[in-house]
Amino acid sequence: MKNTPVRRPVCVIGLGLIGGSVLRAAARAGRDVFGASDVAVADPRAEPTVAAALERAASEDALVVLAVPLPAVDEVLRLMAKHAPECLLTDVVSVKEPVAAAVAKRLPGARYAGGHPMAGKSASGWDAGSADLFDGAAWVVTTEEDTSPEAWREAVTLALDCGAQVVPTTAREHDAAVARISHLPHLLAAVLAATGAEGGSLALSLAAGSFADGTRVMGTRPELVLAMCEGNRAHLLDAVDDALGRLGAARGSLASTGGLAATIRAGHEGREALNDLRAAGAEEIPIDLTDPEAFETLRDLGTAGGRLTRLEGDTAIGTLPV
Amino acid sequence: MKNTPVRRPVCVIGLGLIGGSVLRAAARAGRDVFGASDVAVADPRAEPTVAAALERAASEDALVVLAVPLPAVDEVLRLMAKHAPECLLTDVVSVKEPVAAAVAKRLPGARYAGGHPMAGKSASGWDAGSADLFDGAAWVVTTEEDTSPEAWREAVTLALDCGAQVVPTTAREHDAAVARISHLPHLLAAVLAATGAEGGSLALSLAAGSFADGTRVMGTRPELVLAMCEGNRAHLLDAVDDALGRLGAARGSLASTGGLAATIRAGHEGREALNDLRAAGAEEIPIDLTDPEAFETLRDLGTAGGRLTRLEGDTAIGTLPV
């Protein structure tokens, strides 16, 4: 708001938990917002149909934000090619390679930068959304060699407007990372919930914090978890193989020597690494966006656990954990 | 407090998170409490040595509560055989069959009923304890054919005094259940934390609720997790094999058809079963403790997910989810 007094309107397609929260958060930042959803949403900012919202986006030169589950992306892109082919485009879908491929196919030449806010909760739908869902959260913006700088800046501005911090990385690196820290946790939560319930009412009656926390995300609607996990098949397979190897090694060790020290110590170190990163101080790094190698510098920042916290004209201000 | 104006003093051996909380919670209920720990605890209720605490327990006819990790149980029982062999005995150790076996070996004929409060947090030690840790929690009291009725009543009274609800079951049923809802969650949290950290700083920077919740218990000191999990080897192996089977099936399905529906739906149903049990109403059931089949009735209550909420003279009041 400091640097760009007048901002492009935001058109959110898909008004579930995430899309509905993007719309509210962008409105909180003072931006004009509207959107549409397959499911009827009782809000004056919801247009009656996706086509109507896209037509309005075209007439107002709005930023279009795809906020539908992956299986619905293709159909929305088809409508966008028809009604708003020139609009700047980002998305908040949980995987990035498949969305980039769909955009390349349906809207070749589109000015697009992918996005993914790392926030959520087990409740879903418009009513579960809130303007503060993304405050302080990480929000990936894909930063490839050929990403449109204009779309990139729009996606970054939206993320910052929504209260998030931007993690610049590639679609591929993103998908590999979220397989480990989002999709695998959902799959292990499913395995744990089913294995626990197999113990019957006595076991569930004894369940305390470890089981409740470890299965919390299984309160989410299965269709949403499936769309997310199945859409990241190749990277999730890598992560599952890693987990299967570790769990199998633990099983072998428990059966042979009775010991689990290697497994538990590695787990403790992994959790400590997360705690350390969250407790780390931050060093500010200005990145000149007019530098031809700016995107490479930005990706390196993301790889090192850094984030962008604001834009100042042609300079992005990054912070790096120290 | 309503029914037994004067209660036996409580002697807690081991003043970490759980033992320290038992001591505080029993004191909150108006009982005389003292204890001892290997680690020095700056509290006037802590005796200088375990031997001194046990001698005092013998002289005051106190209930002795073992609250040390499983590997230390044998040594405390050896001291108890020397200093307080006649005292009523319970424990709050996380597995029950190994403790029962150690008691049978070190203190044959002891009046003993095992206990296990299902509460905790990732911080450990005396300073982390609190009087309200067990409020509303489940607290298993082992209820075998040959359990001493006097010790059983003492263990139940202690649990109720501490604000918990009692789940009556056998050591074997308890150990099988906690393998699924406590020890397996810790092991899966270890696997998840290590697999996530393998993704480097980018992955940890993107970690949100699902990873943070799924790895929370790995903040606990590894020695405590190891003592708990390794002490329940046979039952934990069963639970791990169940989990490995489910994760392997998910892997196969993801690789062959790309689908995870069976896994995610079973996980969702398991979590819903937990939610349903917690939201269920409760039907009150009085159980006559002078009935020769009272213990069998009590175990059936536990198997069905029921709990005891109070004692009224010779009647235990149970609640059953409906």
Side-chain angles (χ1 to χ4, degrees), chain B residues 140-172:
Chain B
V140 166
V141 173
T142 56
T143 310
E144 319 276 357
E145 281 312 304
D146 62 352
T147 298
S148 146
E150 203 179 355
W152 186 88
R153 187 182 275 260
E154 280 294 335
V156 168
T157 301
L158 177 69
L160 296 174
D161 278 349
C162 289
Q165 300 177 335
V166 170
V167 176
T169 189
T170 63
R172 182 179 181 80

mmCIF file of all heavy atoms in Angstrom, chain B residues 140-172:
data_model
loop_
_atom_site.group_PDB
_atom_site.id
_atom_site.type_symbol
_atom_site.label_atom_id
_atom_site.label_comp_id
_atom_site.label_asym_id
_atom_site.label_seq_id
_atom_site.Cartn_x
_atom_site.Cartn_y
_atom_site.Cartn_z
ATOM 1 N N VAL B 140 -5.814 -45.324 33.505
ATOM 2 C CA VAL B 140 -6.037 -46.770 33.579
ATOM 3 C C VAL B 140 -5.691 -47.284 34.973
ATOM 4 O O VAL B 140 -4.669 -46.890 35.546
ATOM 5 C CB VAL B 140 -5.169 -47.494 32.531
ATOM 6 C CG1 VAL B 140 -5.114 -48.997 32.805
ATOM 7 C CG2 VAL B 140 -5.708 -47.216 31.137
ATOM 8 N N VAL B 141 -6.554 -48.148 35.532
ATOM 9 C CA VAL B 141 -6.189 -48.924 36.727
ATOM 10 C C VAL B 141 -6.360 -50.394 36.359
ATOM 11 O O VAL B 141 -7.439 -50.807 35.904
ATOM 12 C CB VAL B 141 -7.058 -48.547 37.939
ATOM 13 C CG1 VAL B 141 -6.761 -49.487 39.116
ATOM 14 C CG2 VAL B 141 -6.793 -47.097 38.349
ATOM 15 N N THR B 142 -5.282 -51.170 36.507
ATOM 16 C CA THR B 142 -5.346 -52.561 36.075
ATOM 17 C C THR B 142 -6.273 -53.337 37.007
ATOM 18 O O THR B 142 -6.244 -53.176 38.224
ATOM 19 C CB THR B 142 -3.960 -53.217 36.017
ATOM 20 O OG1 THR B 142 -3.323 -53.107 37.290
ATOM 21 C CG2 THR B 142 -3.106 -52.526 34.971
ATOM 22 N N THR B 143 -7.094 -54.163 36.373
ATOM 23 C CA THR B 143 -8.208 -54.820 37.046
ATOM 24 C C THR B 143 -8.186 -56.288 36.639
ATOM 25 O O THR B 143 -8.933 -56.720 35.766
ATOM 26 C CB THR B 143 -9.523 -54.126 36.618
ATOM 27 O OG1 THR B 143 -9.378 -52.702 36.789
ATOM 28 C CG2 THR B 143 -10.705 -54.603 37.443
ATOM 29 N N GLU B 144 -7.264 -57.041 37.250
ATOM 30 C CA GLU B 144 -7.098 -58.460 36.907
ATOM 31 C C GLU B 144 -7.899 -59.301 37.907
ATOM 32 O O GLU B 144 -8.295 -58.818 38.966
ATOM 33 C CB GLU B 144 -5.614 -58.873 37.016
ATOM 34 C CG GLU B 144 -4.615 -57.872 36.501
ATOM 35 C CD GLU B 144 -4.383 -57.939 35.003
ATOM 36 O OE1 GLU B 144 -4.955 -58.819 34.344
ATOM 37 O OE2 GLU B 144 -3.629 -57.092 34.492
ATOM 38 N N GLU B 145 -8.067 -60.568 37.583
ATOM 39 C CA GLU B 145 -8.749 -61.466 38.520
ATOM 40 C C GLU B 145 -8.103 -61.422 39.896
ATOM 41 O O GLU B 145 -8.784 -61.458 40.917
ATOM 42 C CB GLU B 145 -8.743 -62.912 37.986
ATOM 43 C CG GLU B 145 -9.787 -63.172 36.925
ATOM 44 C CD GLU B 145 -11.166 -62.645 37.315
ATOM 45 O OE1 GLU B 145 -11.672 -63.042 38.381
ATOM 46 O OE2 GLU B 145 -11.720 -61.801 36.578
ATOM 47 N N ASP B 146 -6.759 -61.346 39.935
ATOM 48 C CA ASP B 146 -6.068 -61.462 41.221
ATOM 49 C C ASP B 146 -5.576 -60.106 41.757
ATOM 50 O O ASP B 146 -4.737 -60.065 42.649
ATOM 51 C CB ASP B 146 -4.884 -62.434 41.099
ATOM 52 C CG ASP B 146 -3.852 -61.936 40.099
ATOM 53 O OD1 ASP B 146 -4.130 -60.930 39.390
ATOM 54 O OD2 ASP B 146 -2.763 -62.542 40.015
ATOM 55 N N THR B 147 -6.091 -59.007 41.209
ATOM 56 C CA THR B 147 -5.692 -57.700 41.743
ATOM 57 C C THR B 147 -6.234 -57.527 43.168
ATOM 58 O O THR B 147 -7.399 -57.838 43.432
ATOM 59 C CB THR B 147 -6.239 -56.567 40.853
ATOM 60 O OG1 THR B 147 -5.673 -56.700 39.549
ATOM 61 C CG2 THR B 147 -5.879 -55.191 41.421
ATOM 62 N N SER B 148 -5.391 -57.024 44.039
ATOM 63 C CA SER B 148 -5.802 -56.773 45.427
ATOM 64 C C SER B 148 -6.906 -55.720 45.451
ATOM 65 O O SER B 148 -6.706 -54.591 44.989
ATOM 66 C CB SER B 148 -4.592 -56.270 46.226
ATOM 67 O OG SER B 148 -4.992 -55.324 47.212
ATOM 68 N N PRO B 149 -8.101 -56.058 45.986
ATOM 69 C CA PRO B 149 -9.190 -55.075 46.005
ATOM 70 C C PRO B 149 -8.802 -53.816 46.777
ATOM 71 O O PRO B 149 -9.223 -52.709 46.402
ATOM 72 C CB PRO B 149 -10.331 -55.823 46.701
ATOM 73 C CG PRO B 149 -10.031 -57.267 46.496
ATOM 74 C CD PRO B 149 -8.532 -57.373 46.502
ATOM 75 N N GLU B 150 -8.004 -53.961 47.816
ATOM 76 C CA GLU B 150 -7.629 -52.798 48.622
ATOM 77 C C GLU B 150 -6.718 -51.863 47.801
ATOM 78 O O GLU B 150 -6.890 -50.641 47.799
ATOM 79 C CB GLU B 150 -6.915 -53.275 49.891
ATOM 80 C CG GLU B 150 -6.957 -52.274 51.024
ATOM 81 C CD GLU B 150 -6.245 -52.818 52.269
ATOM 82 O OE1 GLU B 150 -5.809 -53.998 52.254
ATOM 83 O OE2 GLU B 150 -6.105 -52.041 53.231
ATOM 84 N N ALA B 151 -5.733 -52.469 47.122
ATOM 85 C CA ALA B 151 -4.840 -51.661 46.288
ATOM 86 C C ALA B 151 -5.623 -51.028 45.129
ATOM 87 O O ALA B 151 -5.383 -49.881 44.747
ATOM 88 C CB ALA B 151 -3.694 -52.518 45.746
ATOM 89 N N TRP B 152 -6.555 -51.800 44.566
ATOM 90 C CA TRP B 152 -7.361 -51.286 43.450
ATOM 91 C C TRP B 152 -8.126 -50.042 43.875
ATOM 92 O O TRP B 152 -8.135 -49.027 43.196
ATOM 93 C CB TRP B 152 -8.324 -52.387 42.979
ATOM 94 C CG TRP B 152 -9.104 -52.019 41.741
ATOM 95 C CD1 TRP B 152 -8.714 -52.216 40.452
ATOM 96 C CD2 TRP B 152 -10.390 -51.381 41.695
ATOM 97 N NE1 TRP B 152 -9.678 -51.737 39.597
ATOM 98 C CE2 TRP B 152 -10.722 -51.220 40.337
ATOM 99 C CE3 TRP B 152 -11.281 -50.925 42.657
ATOM 100 C CZ2 TRP B 152 -11.905 -50.632 39.912
ATOM 101 C CZ3 TRP B 152 -12.469 -50.330 42.249
ATOM 102 C CH2 TRP B 152 -12.777 -50.189 40.881
ATOM 103 N N ARG B 153 -8.748 -50.120 45.054
ATOM 104 C CA ARG B 153 -9.534 -48.988 45.531
ATOM 105 C C ARG B 153 -8.629 -47.772 45.805
ATOM 106 O O ARG B 153 -8.997 -46.627 45.534
ATOM 107 C CB ARG B 153 -10.295 -49.379 46.791
ATOM 108 C CG ARG B 153 -11.256 -48.331 47.275
ATOM 109 C CD ARG B 153 -11.933 -48.788 48.564
ATOM 110 N NE ARG B 153 -13.090 -49.628 48.307
ATOM 111 C CZ ARG B 153 -14.359 -49.177 48.342
ATOM 112 N NH1 ARG B 153 -14.597 -47.899 48.606
ATOM 113 N NH2 ARG B 153 -15.363 -49.978 48.124
ATOM 114 N N GLU B 154 -7.426 -48.029 46.317
ATOM 115 C CA GLU B 154 -6.480 -46.930 46.569
ATOM 116 C C GLU B 154 -6.052 -46.270 45.255
ATOM 117 O O GLU B 154 -5.951 -45.049 45.151
ATOM 118 C CB GLU B 154 -5.237 -47.450 47.298
ATOM 119 C CG GLU B 154 -5.413 -47.632 48.788
ATOM 120 C CD GLU B 154 -5.632 -46.302 49.519
ATOM 121 O OE1 GLU B 154 -5.204 -45.245 49.011
ATOM 122 O OE2 GLU B 154 -6.243 -46.342 50.597
ATOM 123 N N ALA B 155 -5.765 -47.100 44.249
ATOM 124 C CA ALA B 155 -5.329 -46.557 42.957
ATOM 125 C C ALA B 155 -6.450 -45.753 42.305
ATOM 126 O O ALA B 155 -6.223 -44.670 41.744
ATOM 127 C CB ALA B 155 -4.872 -47.693 42.032
ATOM 128 N N VAL B 156 -7.680 -46.280 42.385
ATOM 129 C CA VAL B 156 -8.831 -45.568 41.803
ATOM 130 C C VAL B 156 -9.047 -44.246 42.532
ATOM 131 O O VAL B 156 -9.272 -43.192 41.910
ATOM 132 C CB VAL B 156 -10.100 -46.452 41.869
ATOM 133 C CG1 VAL B 156 -11.357 -45.631 41.557
ATOM 134 C CG2 VAL B 156 -9.974 -47.625 40.904
ATOM 135 N N THR B 157 -8.958 -44.281 43.859
ATOM 136 C CA THR B 157 -9.166 -43.062 44.649
ATOM 137 C C THR B 157 -8.114 -42.008 44.298
ATOM 138 O O THR B 157 -8.431 -40.821 44.148
ATOM 139 C CB THR B 157 -9.114 -43.402 46.154
ATOM 140 O OG1 THR B 157 -10.130 -44.373 46.436
ATOM 141 C CG2 THR B 157 -9.347 -42.165 46.998
ATOM 142 N N LEU B 158 -6.869 -42.435 44.162
ATOM 143 C CA LEU B 158 -5.810 -41.487 43.784
ATOM 144 C C LEU B 158 -6.111 -40.843 42.430
ATOM 145 O O LEU B 158 -6.006 -39.624 42.260
ATOM 146 C CB LEU B 158 -4.449 -42.202 43.723
ATOM 147 C CG LEU B 158 -3.295 -41.314 43.260
ATOM 148 C CD1 LEU B 158 -2.971 -40.248 44.303
ATOM 149 C CD2 LEU B 158 -2.057 -42.154 42.938
ATOM 150 N N ALA B 159 -6.497 -41.671 41.443
ATOM 151 C CA ALA B 159 -6.784 -41.153 40.100
ATOM 152 C C ALA B 159 -7.929 -40.141 40.149
ATOM 153 O O ALA B 159 -7.845 -39.063 39.549
ATOM 154 C CB ALA B 159 -7.132 -42.314 39.163
ATOM 155 N N LEU B 160 -9.003 -40.490 40.882
ATOM 156 C CA LEU B 160 -10.151 -39.572 40.982
ATOM 157 C C LEU B 160 -9.745 -38.303 41.725
ATOM 158 O O LEU B 160 -10.119 -37.192 41.330
ATOM 159 C CB LEU B 160 -11.315 -40.270 41.687
ATOM 160 C CG LEU B 160 -11.911 -41.478 40.949
ATOM 161 C CD1 LEU B 160 -12.950 -42.171 41.830
ATOM 162 C CD2 LEU B 160 -12.545 -41.073 39.621
ATOM 163 N N ASP B 161 -8.947 -38.454 42.797
ATOM 164 C CA ASP B 161 -8.457 -37.273 43.523
ATOM 165 C C ASP B 161 -7.661 -36.354 42.596
ATOM 166 O O ASP B 161 -7.661 -35.128 42.760
ATOM 167 C CB ASP B 161 -7.551 -37.700 44.685
ATOM 168 C CG ASP B 161 -8.346 -38.117 45.918
ATOM 169 O OD1 ASP B 161 -9.575 -37.879 45.951
ATOM 170 O OD2 ASP B 161 -7.739 -38.669 46.848
ATOM 171 N N CYS B 162 -6.963 -36.940 41.643
ATOM 172 C CA CYS B 162 -6.129 -36.145 40.726
ATOM 173 C C CYS B 162 -6.952 -35.534 39.586
ATOM 174 O O CYS B 162 -6.394 -34.910 38.680
ATOM 175 C CB CYS B 162 -5.001 -36.995 40.164
ATOM 176 S SG CYS B 162 -3.723 -37.382 41.398
ATOM 177 N N GLY B 163 -8.275 -35.742 39.595
ATOM 178 C CA GLY B 163 -9.128 -35.115 38.590
ATOM 179 C C GLY B 163 -9.353 -35.958 37.355
ATOM 180 O O GLY B 163 -9.995 -35.509 36.399
ATOM 181 N N ALA B 164 -8.829 -37.190 37.360
ATOM 182 C CA ALA B 164 -8.949 -38.045 36.180
ATOM 183 C C ALA B 164 -10.197 -38.918 36.265
ATOM 184 O O ALA B 164 -10.898 -38.930 37.283
ATOM 185 C CB ALA B 164 -7.702 -38.920 36.047
ATOM 186 N N GLN B 165 -10.468 -39.647 35.161
ATOM 187 C CA GLN B 165 -11.526 -40.650 35.121
ATOM 188 C C GLN B 165 -10.849 -41.995 34.924
ATOM 189 O O GLN B 165 -9.894 -42.109 34.160
ATOM 190 C CB GLN B 165 -12.475 -40.356 33.964
ATOM 191 C CG GLN B 165 -13.142 -38.982 34.096
ATOM 192 C CD GLN B 165 -14.038 -38.656 32.921
ATOM 193 O OE1 GLN B 165 -13.848 -39.169 31.829
ATOM 194 N NE2 GLN B 165 -15.015 -37.788 33.154
ATOM 195 N N VAL B 166 -11.362 -43.026 35.593
ATOM 196 C CA VAL B 166 -10.659 -44.309 35.622
ATOM 197 C C VAL B 166 -11.154 -45.248 34.532
ATOM 198 O O VAL B 166 -12.359 -45.444 34.371
ATOM 199 C CB VAL B 166 -10.829 -44.967 37.001
ATOM 200 C CG1 VAL B 166 -10.309 -46.406 36.981
ATOM 201 C CG2 VAL B 166 -10.102 -44.138 38.057
ATOM 202 N N VAL B 167 -10.207 -45.821 33.781
ATOM 203 C CA VAL B 167 -10.524 -46.846 32.796
ATOM 204 C C VAL B 167 -10.022 -48.182 33.344
ATOM 205 O O VAL B 167 -8.818 -48.407 33.450
ATOM 206 C CB VAL B 167 -9.849 -46.556 31.442
ATOM 207 C CG1 VAL B 167 -10.128 -47.689 30.456
ATOM 208 C CG2 VAL B 167 -10.328 -45.220 30.889
ATOM 209 N N PRO B 168 -10.948 -49.087 33.726
ATOM 210 C CA PRO B 168 -10.529 -50.377 34.253
ATOM 211 C C PRO B 168 -10.270 -51.358 33.111
ATOM 212 O O PRO B 168 -11.127 -51.534 32.234
ATOM 213 C CB PRO B 168 -11.729 -50.838 35.091
ATOM 214 C CG PRO B 168 -12.871 -49.925 34.740
ATOM 215 C CD PRO B 168 -12.412 -48.923 33.742
ATOM 216 N N THR B 169 -9.106 -51.987 33.106
ATOM 217 C CA THR B 169 -8.792 -52.988 32.078
ATOM 218 C C THR B 169 -7.625 -53.829 32.577
ATOM 219 O O THR B 169 -7.115 -53.600 33.671
ATOM 220 C CB THR B 169 -8.494 -52.315 30.723
ATOM 221 O OG1 THR B 169 -8.398 -53.317 29.709
ATOM 222 C CG2 THR B 169 -7.195 -51.519 30.760
ATOM 223 N N THR B 170 -7.222 -54.804 31.785
ATOM 224 C CA THR B 170 -6.074 -55.632 32.183
ATOM 225 C C THR B 170 -4.778 -54.993 31.693
ATOM 226 O O THR B 170 -4.786 -54.134 30.799
ATOM 227 C CB THR B 170 -6.163 -57.039 31.562
ATOM 228 O OG1 THR B 170 -6.093 -56.905 30.139
ATOM 229 C CG2 THR B 170 -7.452 -57.735 31.951
ATOM 230 N N ALA B 171 -3.662 -55.434 32.279
ATOM 231 C CA ALA B 171 -2.353 -54.946 31.837
ATOM 232 C C ALA B 171 -2.147 -55.251 30.352
ATOM 233 O O ALA B 171 -1.643 -54.422 29.595
ATOM 234 C CB ALA B 171 -1.246 -55.598 32.672
ATOM 235 N N ARG B 172 -2.569 -56.435 29.953
ATOM 236 C CA ARG B 172 -2.371 -56.853 28.567
ATOM 237 C C ARG B 172 -3.186 -55.984 27.595
ATOM 238 O O ARG B 172 -2.674 -55.535 26.560
ATOM 239 C CB ARG B 172 -2.770 -58.323 28.433
ATOM 240 C CG ARG B 172 -2.557 -58.889 27.064
ATOM 241 C CD ARG B 172 -2.950 -60.362 26.978
ATOM 242 N NE ARG B 172 -2.700 -60.839 25.639
ATOM 243 C CZ ARG B 172 -1.511 -61.206 25.189
ATOM 244 N NH1 ARG B 172 -0.471 -61.173 25.996
ATOM 245 N NH2 ARG B 172 -1.342 -61.583 23.944
#
